[in-house]
Amino acid sequence: MSLGMIFCYQTAAGVSHIETEDTTAIKINISKKDKFQTIAHFGASDAWSCQFVGLWPEQKRRAIASLLFSKDFDEEGNPKGIGLSIWRFNIGAGSAEQGDQSGIKDEWRRAESFLNPDGSYNWEKQAGQVWFAQVAQEFGVEYLLAFPNSPPVKMTRNGRAYAENGRSNLSAQNFDDYANYLGEVIHGLQEKGLKVDYISPVNEPQWDWSDGGQEGSPFWNSEIAGIVRELDRTLSAKTLNTKIDIAEAGKINYLYEAADKPGRGQQVAFFFDPESDNYIGNLSHVGKVISAHSYFTTSPDSAAAQMRDTLNSKIQSIDGLEYWMSEYCILGGNAGEIDGNGRDLGMESALYMAKVIHSDLTIANATAWHWWLAVSPYDYKDGLVYIDKNKENGAFYESKMLWTLGNYSRFIRPGYERVGVNLEGMEVESADLLVSAYQSTDDKKLVYVIINSASVPVNAQISNEGKEVANFKSYITSEEHNLSPVELGKGGNDIIIPARSVLTIVSGE
């Protein structure tokens, strides 16, 4: 790896200029003939704080929304936001109306329900979340996904929004009622001008959800199939075009093996193998997509890569099937590499996030990547924007994880295709330097995303099919920069990749 001393100064235009001592450069060459997945979207969830933040003073909540959704630049060329392309709307189960009787101690993890106890609907509920979804649409966010963590309390076995004794909290006789309820919610949101592109009826069905920490319910694969069949019929009857997303598995290995959850694992085969009794891949509203969460599968690097490679092989065994990584934040169990506890606005968590995004996109071939909490009030590594835990007003704080996700989401738009990358000049493969590349649908733009986790900068030369890359712009996230425009090196294709940074290079703009 080529290393050198780094120097940085500010130009009159406000664009940082970075130089380093001359050393032999690593060559980064794009191979467009090597084509991989087409990117669907990058996103995050409104759970649970947007129910409150969406009712904060207008100027403040709009500033937060701009950070998440804007695709504009300021006068100095800085992105105003990270340009998410999908927004995830949590359909509440009604624990908020139950208050302390809900059994969920943290009121920020309770959620309202549109469904009243008498069976009528109140479309004024979840007003803060509706506001965020509407503003996302105003900013041009391309897609909206709605997801419940639990069926509404009116339908659950125990009258609460979390389960007991490790069994699902919805009896089979209520599957059709649940499907009709989800259809009504989709229609109700559409009446508010919100087109729901995807509905995800279950969330992490492998976990017991019996501790009252939040709304949630486990489900067997056979139960999920039954719910999806009823939901498919309901969507058709209501002439809704919403696609059904399954199965939000709690870990990626549950998609390809039973692991420790027989009857809740092997979900690719269960749902998309035509020979399966639970086959639902032929239903008109079921997308040719299966989703899972990257929790507990990101460390160490060798194990993370092996699981993603196995997952990709399983996905490829079903013709036309895609994989979405639909939820992640930094939890525990990371082989001592990083701890989820403790809010971190800096680059340590951001670089770890970047590594996970890279492996999910380049090894698992995920076509979508979604973070968990868009807005977090917690002392935890789970947020993009952090806030004071105040229901009516407070300060908000940008994190480096926000801007690092923006290195991908802002510039890799829906429909972009991942292409091959060849690195030359590295004597040994390094986990500190990770590169991926994407081309636009019209083949006019090319996007490089380069992660340098090392404590020293790297000299590199970039090329496209061996040819010089013309007219490129660069944006960097580091301790000093928030997705800021930057000039790298002395011009031409010779660049410097700063230490502990995530760098996006866009050519053809």
Side-chain angles (χ1 to χ4, degrees), residues 13 24 41 77 123 127-128 168 180 192 201-202 207 223 225 248 337 342 352 366 369 395 402 425 440 484:
T24 303
H41 32 65
W123 300 114
S168 70
N180 184 69
K192 291 181 173 291
V202 301
W207 310 143
E223 292 175 309
E248 305 267 11
E337 294 179 355
Y352 194 88
W369 203 92
L402 168 78
S440 62
S484 306

Side-chain angles (χ1 to χ4, degrees), residues 350-364:
L351 288 168
Y352 194 88
M353 169 207 252
K355 181 185 74 171
V356 175
I357 297 174
H358 178 86
S359 61
D360 284 334
L361 295 181
T362 65
I363 304 176

Side-chain angles (χ1 to χ4, degrees), residues 276-349:
S276 170
D277 292 338
N278 292 295
Y279 178 59
I280 53 177
N282 60 338
L283 300 179
S284 62
H285 290 274
V286 173
K288 205 66 179 292
V289 172
I290 195 163
S291 59
H293 303 168
S294 278
Y295 297 126
F296 312 114
T297 62
T298 60
S299 301
D301 289 344
S302 58
Q306 184 273 322
M307 284 187 281
R308 282 156 179 78
D309 186 61
T310 302
L311 171 60
N312 183 49
S313 295
K314 189 65 178 180
I315 296 294
Q316 295 300 317
S317 72
I318 304 294
D319 185 47
L321 187 63
E322 297 179 17
Y323 165 59
W324 288 359
M325 199 306 293
S326 57
E327 184 180 311
Y328 180 72
C329 72
I330 300 173
L331 301 180
N334 298 307
E337 294 179 355
I338 193 169
D339 183 6
N341 289 295
R343 180 182 297 189
D344 175 23
L345 303 179
M347 284 303 296
E348 179 184 6
S349 298

